[in-house]
Amino acid sequence: MSLLTVSDLTVTYPGRGWRKPAFTALHEVSLDVRAGETVGLVGESGSGKSTLGRAILGLAPVSGGSISYDGRDIAHVSQRVRRELARDIQVVFQDPLSSLSPSLTVGESLAEPLRVRRVSRSEADDRIREALDLVHLPADAVRRLPREFSGGQRQRIAIARALVLEPRLIVCDEPVSALDLTTQARVLDLFLDVQERTGVAYLFISHDLSVVRVMSHRVAVMRHGRIVEAGDAHAVTTSPTNPYTRQLLLAAPVADPAAQARRRADYEASRAMAPYSQETTR
Ligand code: ADP
Ligand code: MG
């Protein structure tokens, strides 16, 4: 059974007066994510990707269809249930500072979701240490402020914050789009590594087909609020049937798509053979 099932989801943003009419950003969108799986969501800016992510997080106005998580409809739930769900469904945005307060130390930012859930101090310390270890940051990062870190390290901290509650699904909305290419590659590897070690599922949103290609088991292509093509990541990103996906493929800055597609397979094979080592530097 799927962890997350989105069926015929329609999202209409209400208008504001006659100048700004209501706008339907998603039209009967269906998509599912299985436990431990990465589903890539790709499409150009304005196609509705973030709206789908926000709807899953309870942050967009659902006007039709359903969203079910673990067999339960979550499209229309109370604030209390939404807070409970946040333990299971987390988010990483493009800008890590959106989840980190500039005036709080990394330790305080990571402790906050645990404190809200009344996790004991000693257990919270353990979870924070584990989360920092998962993202390959030293334990003494807890005493420092976000501004003391580079962009890539800040995104690692944001990922650690998403991980402290041990979620089963993370909505990743353009999580590497603000990073330079070398840092992007490292952070993408980190996402793969975290999934390998925790079994977390990702809805991985990006406008960049070459990013989605290396991250995903399956890919859905969105255009003008509709999914125009979906299927196995390798098939969709190397021999798309939809003309729009072909356009995206031509725009993706990748010399050798087949080599990129093999990267994920190679990565998984190497993980299966070599147990995780502390010394691994990324
Ligand atoms: P993407 O993430 O693919 O760039 P978005 O989901 O952010 O796309 O936006 C999809 C469409 O919905 C865009 O046309 C955008 O202008 C519109 N939109 C997004 N948020 C709102 C909002 N709060 N109110 C009205 N329209 C919005
Ligand atoms: Mg977006």
Side-chain angles (χ1 to χ4, degrees):
M1 194 187 68
S2 288
L3 192 58
L4 179 81
T5 306
V6 175
S7 306
D8 299 325
L9 182 71
T10 296
V11 170
T12 302
Y13 291 110
R16 259 182 270 131
W18 58 272
R19 277 172 187 281
K20 205 167 168 280
F23 179 75
T24 299
L26 293 184
H27 302 266
E28 298 179 354
V29 165
S30 298
L31 168 147
D32 69 305
V33 183
R34 300 171 198 140
E37 179 188 43
T38 301
V39 173
L41 183 63
V42 68
E44 65 198 321
S45 174
S47 56
K49 307 180 299 296
S50 293
T51 297
L52 178 54
R54 283 200 293 269
I56 293 164
L57 297 163
L59 304 171
V62 171
S63 48
S66 67
I67 306 173
S68 80
Y69 175 79
D70 221 1
R72 158 194 202 187
D73 194 337
I74 61 164
H76 307 278
V77 291
S78 66
Q79 285 298 310
R80 187 184 57 80
V81 175
R82 203 23 94 176
R83 276 194 298 273
E84 273 170 32
L85 277 170
R87 231 191 59 198
D88 266 35
I89 309 179
Q90 280 288 314
V91 61
V92 174
F93 291 110
Q94 176 170 342
D95 176 11
L97 296 181
S98 60
S99 61
L100 304 171
S101 166
S103 59
L104 296 184
T105 63
V106 168
E108 287 163 344
S109 276
L110 265 60
E112 195 258 349
L114 295 163
R115 193 170 41 75
V116 169
R117 282 165 188 81
R118 302 185 194 288
V119 172
S120 74
R121 186 64 192 268
S122 67
E123 186 178 349
D125 287 346
D126 286 349
R127 295 246 208 130
I128 291 168
R129 211 174 303 117
E130 274 169 41
L132 287 173
D133 181 54
L134 273 170
V135 301
H136 309 292
L137 282 175
D140 66 9
V142 292
R143 287 190 296 274
R144 292 155 66 191
L145 291 168
R147 67 163 174 267
E148 299 174 50
F149 295 88
S150 68
Q153 286 172 324
R154 279 182 204 157
Q155 196 56 297
R156 283 170 197 271
I157 298 166
I159 296 167
R161 189 176 193 274
L163 288 170
V164 286
L165 294 174
E166 300 176 353
R168 294 167 71 197
L169 175 67
I170 304 180
V171 174
C172 309
D173 191 352
E174 306 271 6
V176 300
S177 301
L179 306 172
D180 65 76
L181 283 180
T182 313
T183 311
Q184 271 197 15
R186 293 218 179 95
V187 174
L188 292 178
D189 271 346
L190 176 69
F191 273 107
L192 292 172
D193 190 28
V194 164
Q195 184 171 61
E196 185 73 19
R197 292 174 68 188
T198 64
V200 68
Y202 299 133
L203 177 64
F204 206 95
I205 299 173
S206 176
H207 66 281
D208 186 341
L209 190 71
S210 58
V211 165
V212 157
R213 178 191 288 135
V214 296
M215 295 307 294
S216 312
H217 298 100
R218 290 187 298 139
V219 167
V221 181
M222 186 167 264
R223 187 186 195 198
H224 297 163
R226 291 187 165 83
I227 290 185
V228 294
E229 179 161 11
D232 169 73
H234 184 76
V236 172
T237 63
T238 57
S239 43
T241 56
N242 185 279
Y244 176 68
T245 316
R246 277 195 220 122
Q247 264 182 42
L248 285 181
L249 186 60
L250 289 174
V254 172
D256 183 356
Q260 286 270 337
R262 279 196 300 273
R263 185 169 148 209
R264 171 139 199 147
D266 289 350
Y267 181 89
E268 287 181 350
S270 72
R271 288 281 108 180
M273 285 185 304
Y276 171 73
S277 133
Q278 261 321 111
E279 280 73 50
T280 312
T281 47
R282 280 179 219 284

